[in-house]
Amino acid sequence: MKKTEPRIEPYTHPAAGWGALKYVALNLLKEKVSGGNYRTLFGQNQPDGFDCPGCAWPDREHASTFEFCENGVKAVAAESTSKRVTPAFFEEHTVEQLMAQSDYELEQHGRLTDPLVYDAARDRYVPIAWDDAFALIADHLNRLDDPDRAAFYTSGRASNEAAFLYQLFVRMYGTNNFPDCSNMCHEATSRGLPGTVGVGKGTVTLEDFEHADTLLLFGQNPATNHPRMLGELRECAKRGATIVSINPLRERGLERFASPQHPVEMLTGGSTKISSVFIRPKIGGDFALIKGVAKRVIELDDAALEQGLPRVLDIAFIAEHTVGFDAFAEDLRAESWDAIVAESGVPKDEVLQLADIYARGRAVISTWGMGLTQHKNSVPTVQLLSNLMMMRGNIGRLGAGLCPVRGHSNVQGDRTVGIEEQPTQAFLDRLGAAYDFEPPREHGYDVVRSIEAMLAGKLKVFIGLGGNFSIATPDTPRVWEAMRSCDLTVHITTKLNRSHLIHGRDALILPTLGRTEIDMQNGVAQGVSVEDSMSMVHISYGMNRPASPNLLSEIAIVARMALATLGSAKVDWLANANDYALIRDGIEKVIPGFENYNERLKHPGGFHLGVASRDRVWNTPSGKAQFLVHGIEFDTPIHRARTVHGERLMTLMTTRSHDQYNTTIYGLDDRYRGVYGQRRVLFANQLDIEMLGFEAGQRVDITSVWDDGVERRADSFLLVAYDIPRGCLGAYYPETNPLVPLSSVADGAGTPTSKSIPVLLCASSEKQREAA
Ligand SMILES: Nc1nc2c(c(=O)[nH]1)N[C@H]1C(S)=C(S)[C@@H](COP(=O)(O)OP(=O)(O)OC[C@H]3O[C@@H](n4cnc5c(=O)[nH]c(N)nc54)[C@H](O)[C@@H]3O)O[C@H]1N2
Ligand SMILES: Nc1nc2c(c(=O)[nH]1)N[C@H]1C(S)=C(S)[C@@H](COP(=O)(O)OP(=O)(O)OC[C@H]3O[C@@H](n4cnc5c(=O)[nH]c(N)nc54)[C@H](O)[C@@H]3O)O[C@H]1N2
Ligand SMILES: [Mo]
C-alpha cells in the first residue's frame, strides 16, 4: 500500500460504506494473502469456519450470509499474509538493529516460521529444535527455588482448550501467577459486577437487541473496535429505538452508518442515523453523570408518587430481588447537583435529559467499553451503572440488560476456564479433584504486580501465551527494565513484535498456528472453542495451510512444555494435544455450565453458557442483587495535580486508531477522526490550545504528573484542534504508554488508568522535532 502523506482532514461520510470496502481491497493487496486464498476472508464467523480473531462481538446464528467487517478482514489478512520471517531474516538483523525499527515495521515482516533462541554473543535470534526449547524452559522452571518466581501471561486470543491446558500446567507447577490482558481491559467489569449482580459477565444476548427500545452506549467506539455491532445498532435505530452515545468524543461511527450488508443503502449513497443523542462527559466524568441520572430517577419517582402516576422505580423488582436500596436512595438524595455537574462536566439539563430517556425506556440495554474501565474509579462506576439498571428492573428481562463489550475474541472464555490470578477456592477444589493434585491456594500476580515483582527481583521467568506484554503495559521504560531483569522470557506468538526484543538473559520465540490455519493432530483436523462477549461458546476450524511446516499449535506447545517440566505421571499431556476433545472433557469436569461440552459444540452457532444474573439468580453474599453506596471522589491524583498546576493540567485518554489492533499497527490512518499517514497526534480543544499559548499544527511534548519523582514523557506530538471537552486530551495507545505510571491503577481491579492520565504540555524543542 502506498504510504499516505501525513495530513489532517475531517471525515464527513458515514462509517463503513464504500470507504471500508476500498480499505479492504487495499489491505488484501498489501498483505498478498497467502496463496491468493481470499476465500479465507469469507470463512470468518461461519458455522463451519473459524472464529474471527478480531473482536469478541457475537455472531448472528444465520451466519450463512457473510457479515462484512472491515477490521475483521484486516485481522484475518494480517494473519494470512504470505510474508515470512525466517531464520535467514534474523541472521541479517541483530536485535539492536531490529530495535531501531518501528512497531509498524516489525509487524510488516510477516509470520514467524521457526522456533528461535537468543544468542547473546551475536545479539541474534538463532534456530533451536523444539525439544531443546522445551528442555530450556523446563530447566529454568525446575531450577527456581519457588514456583511463584515465574509468571504466565495470556492474551485473549488463546482458545478455551489452550487456556485450560495452560492453567492446568501452571497450577500443577505450583503458582497462580496469571497476568492477562483482561487485567488491562475489562477487569473493572469482572471485579465490579459480582458485587452487584453476582457474576462478572454481561446479561444480554443478541436477541435482547431485537427487543430493546433504549440503548445507552458508554465509552466505546464500535465503528472501529466492534464493527459488527453497528449492524445490530442499525436495526435498533431503524426500529425506532433511542440510542445515546455517552463519550467525550462524538465518534463518527456513532453518528451515521452505511451498511455494506445492505446493497440498496450502499448504491443509493444512503446511511442510517445511529445515535439520536450525544452526552459528552469530561474524561472520567461518568461516575458523577450516572449518579446524577440515578438521582433524577428518584426525583421522578417522588413526583409520580405525589401525582398518583405509575411509579418510575420498579418497586416489585427492588422488593423481590435486591437489598440495600434505602441506603442507596438516601445517598442519591443527599448528593449535590453542583458536585454532579462539576465532576461529570455535563450540564444539568443534559443529565436530566438522559434521565428522562432512561426512565421512559421500557427495555434498556447499557453497553460499555474501555471508556468506563480504565480509570481509578472504574469499579464503582461499573457498579453504579449496574445499580441504575436495577432501579427499573432492567436486568434479566427481555430486551434489557448489562452489556460489557469485551475486546479480544476469547478474553471472556480464557477467564471462564481458569486464567485468573484470584481463583476461587471452589474452582481450585474441583481442579485438584479432577486431576489428583493440590493446587496452589495463594492468589497470584496480575499484570501490574508481575512488573513490580520483576523490578523487585522476585520474578525471574516470564512466559507469554500471545500478546505484546512490553508494549501493551503501562510505564514502558520500567517494564523494559523489568523484562530485561528476567532469567528467561518466552513468547508463544504468530508474528514478530517488540516484546520479543525486550528479552531476558535467555529468550525464546515459539511460533504458533493462528486461528485461521488448519490444525492437524494425529491426522485429524482439530477445532478449538471460544466464548464471545455474550457467553455463547462455539467451535472454530482453521481453513488455511499453516504458515510454515515447523509451527506447532498453542496446545501442542503448552503440552510439550508441561511434559518437559512435570513429566506425565498425573496428566498424559501428549494425549490431550493429540485430541482436543479430551481437553474439553477436562473442562466439563471442572467448570460448571460445560455439561456435554463436545456434544453441544456440534450445534451450529454453539451454545449459551448460562449467566445466573440473566436468570435473576444472584450469586452474591445476600442472595439478592445489591445496591452499593459510593461517593464522588474529590481527592484523586488528577484533582491534586490540578490544585498544583491549575488549568494547565490536562487529562489524557489513550485510545485505538482505526488502523490498529491493540499493539499491532496495520496502517497509519485513523480515517473517521480525519488523521492520515501518522500516529503521533494529540487531540485538544482549540480553546485549550490557545489558553496554553500554542497553535494547532505545532509539536508538543507530554509529561505526566505523578508523585514518585520519576519523569515520564512522550515527545513530539502534533497538536490537532478537535471537538473534545475542555481540559481533555486524546492520543493513541501504545505510543503514550510511557506516560501511564505503573502504580496508577483502578481501585479494586488493578487496571492501569490509561484513560485518565494527568499531564502537562510544553513546546517540542527544535532538536526533538528533527528527530521525530
Ligand atoms: N479493529 C480493532 N478492534 C478491536 C481492537 C483494536 O485495537 N482494533 N481492540 C480490541 C480490544 S482488546 C478491546 S478492549 C476493544 C476496545 O474497544 P473500545 O472500548 O472502543 O476502546 P478504545 O478505542 O480504547 O476507546 C474507547 C472509547 O472510550 C471513549 N472514552 C475515553 N475516555 C472516556 C471516558 O472517560 N468516558 C467515556 N464515556 N468515554 C471515554 C473514547 O473516546 C473512545 O471512543 O476493542 C477490541 N476490538
Ligand atoms: N495506554 C493503553 N494501554 C492499553 C490499552 C489502552 O486502551 N491504552 N488497552 C489495553 C487492552 S484493552 C488490552 S486487551 C491490552 C492488549 O494487550 P495484548 O493482548 O498483550 O496485546 P496485543 O496487541 O493484542 O497482542 C498482539 C500480539 O499477539 C500475537 N498474536 C496474534 N495472534 C496470535 C495467536 O493466535 N496466538 C498467539 N500465541 N499469539 C498471537 C502477535 O505476536 C501480536 O503481535 O493492551 C492494554 N493496554
Ligand atoms: Mo482489551
Side-chain angles (χ1 to χ4, degrees):
M1 201 183 327
K2 221 173 73 211
K3 194 164 171 272
T4 2
E5 276 305 305
R7 64 179 202 281
I8 303 293
E9 186 183 298
Y11 180 87
T12 51
H13 308 284
W18 292 108
L21 288 182
K22 181 180 125 195
Y23 266 74
V24 163
L26 290 174
N27 255 285
L28 298 185
L29 293 176
K30 181 182 82 169
E31 294 294 354
K32 302 186 180 62
V33 165
S34 203
N37 184 6
Y38 296 106
R39 197 176 69 96
T40 314
L41 302 167
F42 305 94
Q44 57 176 331
N45 299 338
Q46 302 297 302
D48 56 347
F50 55 87
D51 182 67
C52 178
C55 70
W57 189 257
D59 316 312
R60 277 271 157 202
E61 265 183 73
H62 67 241
S64 57
T65 50
F66 165 62
E67 247 192 294
F68 171 84
C69 169
E70 176 194 351
N71 279 347
V73 168
K74 281 188 207 158
V76 172
E79 191 173 293
S80 321
T81 180
S82 59
K83 297 180 217 161
R84 297 288 178 269
V85 193
T86 62
F89 171 89
F90 289 97
E91 196 48 45
E92 283 164 22
H93 298 87
T94 62
V95 167
E96 192 186 340
Q97 286 164 349
L98 290 172
M99 276 300 286
Q101 300 193 1
S102 69
D103 292 341
Y104 174 67
E105 287 167 303
L106 293 177
E107 156 73 17
Q108 297 306 315
H109 296 306
R111 290 287 300 276
L112 290 153
T113 57
D114 295 271
L116 302 159
V117 64
Y118 181 65
D119 175 357
R122 301 178 60 230
D123 188 33
R124 277 178 178 77
Y125 274 101
V126 298
I128 182 172
W130 278 108
D131 276 333
D132 294 339
F134 297 127
L136 182 68
I137 295 171
D139 180 50
H140 271 277
L141 289 177
N142 288 328
R143 250 190 300 146
L144 292 178
D145 59 358
D146 180 344
D148 287 335
R149 290 184 181 277
F152 298 81
Y153 180 67
T154 312
S155 171
R157 275 199 199 177
S159 63
N160 282 356
E161 291 80 358
F164 181 80
L165 205 66
Y166 186 56
Q167 66 81 35
L168 178 62
F169 156 53
V170 171
R171 293 199 162 101
M172 284 193 152
Y173 169 67
T175 181
N176 284 310
N177 285 343
F178 287 107
D180 73 340
C181 68
S182 193
N183 297 149
M184 300 181 271
C185 184
H186 258 293
E187 202 68 297
T189 303
S190 305
R191 304 290 178 224
L193 289 183
T196 56
V197 295
V199 186
K201 295 185 185 183
T203 66
V204 298
T205 65
L206 281 182
E207 195 198 348
D208 291 306
F209 278 76
E210 292 165 18
H211 299 275
D213 63 17
T214 304
L215 295 107
L216 310 182
L217 317 179
F218 285 89
Q220 356 156 216
N221 184 19
T224 289
N225 297 320
H226 308 91
R228 286 176 300 115
M229 180 178 178
L230 283 187
E232 229 50 66
L233 295 177
R234 175 183 184 275
E235 295 304 315
C236 296
K238 289 244 180 251
R239 232 186 31 246
T242 305
I243 302 180
V244 186
S245 162
I246 298 127
N247 194 317
L249 303 185
R250 209 180 150 99
E251 299 285 21
R252 276 285 156 190
L254 290 170
E255 294 187 309
R256 299 202 78 84
F257 171 58
S259 170
Q261 257 77 250
H262 295 82
V264 176
E265 198 160 275
M266 292 289 281
L267 291 172
T268 57
S271 62
T272 306
K273 183 173 165 188
I274 299 290
S275 305
S276 35
V277 178
F278 286 81
I279 302 284
R280 304 183 56 193
K282 64 182 185 187
I283 294 172
D286 302 83
F287 180 85
L289 169 67
I290 300 168
K291 199 150 191 193
V293 173
K295 180 180 171 70
R296 181 61 176 174
V297 170
I298 297 275
E299 290 178 359
L300 292 172
D301 187 66
D302 288 346
L305 251 182
E306 208 167 285
Q307 295 161 28
L309 295 171
R311 298 287 297 264
V312 177
L313 293 169
D314 184 339
I315 42 172
F317 175 84
I318 292 172
E320 187 188 341
H321 288 287
T322 73
V323 294
F325 182 74
D326 291 344
F328 178 72
E330 194 181 319
D331 176 66
L332 292 175
R333 288 180 202 282
E335 192 58 80
S336 98
W337 278 112
D338 287 347
I340 288 167
V341 169
E343 294 303 313
S344 67
V346 180
K348 185 173 174 189
D349 58 332
E350 292 184 26
V351 181
L352 302 189
Q353 181 195 8
L354 182 56
D356 279 341
I357 292 172
Y358 174 70
R360 266 201 314 270
R362 289 142 76 93
V364 183
I365 291 178
S366 283
T367 76
W368 67 95
M370 298 300 99
L372 281 206
T373 61
Q374 297 176 329
H375 303 281
K376 182 172 188 294
N377 65 351
S378 286
V379 171
T381 304
V382 167
Q383 293 182 332
L384 188 59
L385 179 57
S386 167
N387 283 171
L388 174 69
M389 296 291 279
M390 284 153 52
M391 292 173 89
R392 286 181 43 78
N394 274 312
I395 295 179
R397 172 152 72 69
L398 187 65
L402 300 167
C403 180
V405 183
R406 306 261 169 188
H408 270 296
S409 50
N410 197 38
V411 61
Q412 186 161 317
D414 289 345
R415 185 54 66 82
T416 302
V417 301
I419 302 301
E420 162 69 282
E421 80 281 359
Q422 303 173 34
T424 63
Q425 298 304 317
F427 166 80
L428 295 176
D429 290 344
R430 286 191 303 271
L431 186 69
Y435 290 93
D436 184 28
F437 76 112
E438 184 43 48
R441 296 281 164 173
E442 241 175 77
H443 286 174
Y445 297 133
D446 64 5
V447 162
V448 166
R449 295 232 164 89
S450 295
I451 299 165
E452 288 169 350
M454 285 178 199
L455 289 171
K458 290 192 226 156
L459 217 162
K460 287 302 189 187
V461 173
F462 173 93
I463 296 182
L465 183 58
N468 192 355
F469 190 84
S470 298
I471 293 298
T473 49
D475 226 343
T476 314
R478 263 141 300 279
V479 174
W480 291 14
E481 184 193 332
M483 292 298 279
R484 286 173 170 148
S485 75
C486 287
D487 292 339
L488 173 70
T489 50
V490 179
H491 292 279
I492 300 162
T493 180
T494 49
K495 288 179 121 178
L496 182 62
N497 68 41
R498 189 161 316 275
S499 293
H500 311 149
L501 310 177
I502 315 292
H503 57 78
R505 188 163 46 78
D506 286 335
L508 290 165
I509 302 177
L510 305 182
T512 189
L513 293 174
R515 195 128 353 116
T516 56
E517 289 161 314
I518 299 167
D519 183 353
M520 290 297 268
Q521 304 292 340
N522 222 6
V524 180
Q526 304 285 322
V528 293
S529 51
V530 293
E531 175 186 343
D532 65 32
S533 210
M534 296 184 189
S535 306
M536 292 295 299
V537 179
H538 60 97
I539 193 112
S540 167
Y541 284 98
M543 308 173 77
N544 281 352
R545 219 157 23 107
S548 145
N550 205 14
L551 301 184
L552 292 183
S553 74
E554 290 183 345
I555 291 164
I557 292 173
V558 170
R560 289 171 65 175
M561 202 157 61
L563 177 64
T565 310
L566 304 175
S568 55
K570 296 260 182 205
V571 177
D572 186 346
W573 302 101
L574 294 185
N576 279 277
N578 274 339
D579 179 4
Y580 299 176
L582 294 180
I583 308 178
R584 289 188 284 271
D585 288 341
I587 295 177
E588 178 174 338
K589 258 191 238 152
V590 176
I591 297 157
F594 283 95
E595 296 73 24
N596 266 328
Y597 194 4
N598 279 302
E599 223 16 69
R600 279 199 289 165
L601 277 181
K602 291 182 187 152
H603 180 266
F607 61 94
H608 189 256
L609 199 49
V611 173
S613 45
R614 177 178 168 79
D615 300 326
R616 296 194 164 178
V617 172
W618 316 104
N619 295 332
T620 58
S622 63
K624 303 262 184 183
Q626 306 185 132
F627 284 99
L628 303 173
V629 173
H630 296 294
I632 298 176
E633 265 193 273
F634 298 99
D635 184 28
T636 65
I638 291 183
H639 285 96
R640 289 197 292 274
R642 195 152 281 149
T643 314
V644 177
H645 299 280
E647 60 176 6
R648 302 183 72 80
L649 191 281
M650 310 291 268
T651 308
L652 171 70
M653 62 152 109
T654 61
T655 65
R656 292 149 175 80
S657 82
H658 194 65
D659 275 1
Q660 73 183 85
Y661 192 92
N662 297 337
T663 67
T664 302
I665 311 302
Y666 300 132
L668 302 178
D669 299 350
D670 187 12
R671 95 174 167 277
Y672 298 150
R673 299 198 188 104
V675 176
Y676 296 89
Q678 58 193 328
R679 289 181 50 85
R680 279 185 106 77
V681 296
L682 183 63
F683 301 114
N685 187 299
Q686 176 63 33
L687 295 175
D688 283 331
I689 295 178
E690 287 163 22
M691 179 268 293
L692 293 167
F694 299 133
E695 278 172 31
Q698 87 174 85
R699 293 215 168 250
V700 293
D701 299 342
I702 316 172
T703 51
S704 47
V705 179
W706 202 243
D707 55 9
D708 58 1
V710 176
E711 182 186 63
R712 295 186 176 81
R713 58 184 308 129
D715 289 340
S716 196
F717 283 72
L718 184 81
L719 257 185
V720 175
Y722 203 78
D723 183 10
I724 184 171
R726 294 283 316 256
C728 300
L729 300 171
Y732 302 129
Y733 131 77
E735 288 82 347
T736 42
N737 260 335
L739 294 166
V740 186
L742 197 56
S743 58
S744 176
V745 296
D747 299 331
T751 310
T753 57
S754 43
K755 294 277 190 286
S756 48
I757 317 168
V759 298
L760 296 170
L761 306 183
C762 68
S764 297
S765 71
E766 209 52 57
K767 211 168 105 235
Q768 278 154 358
R769 251 200 304 270
E770 278 162 25

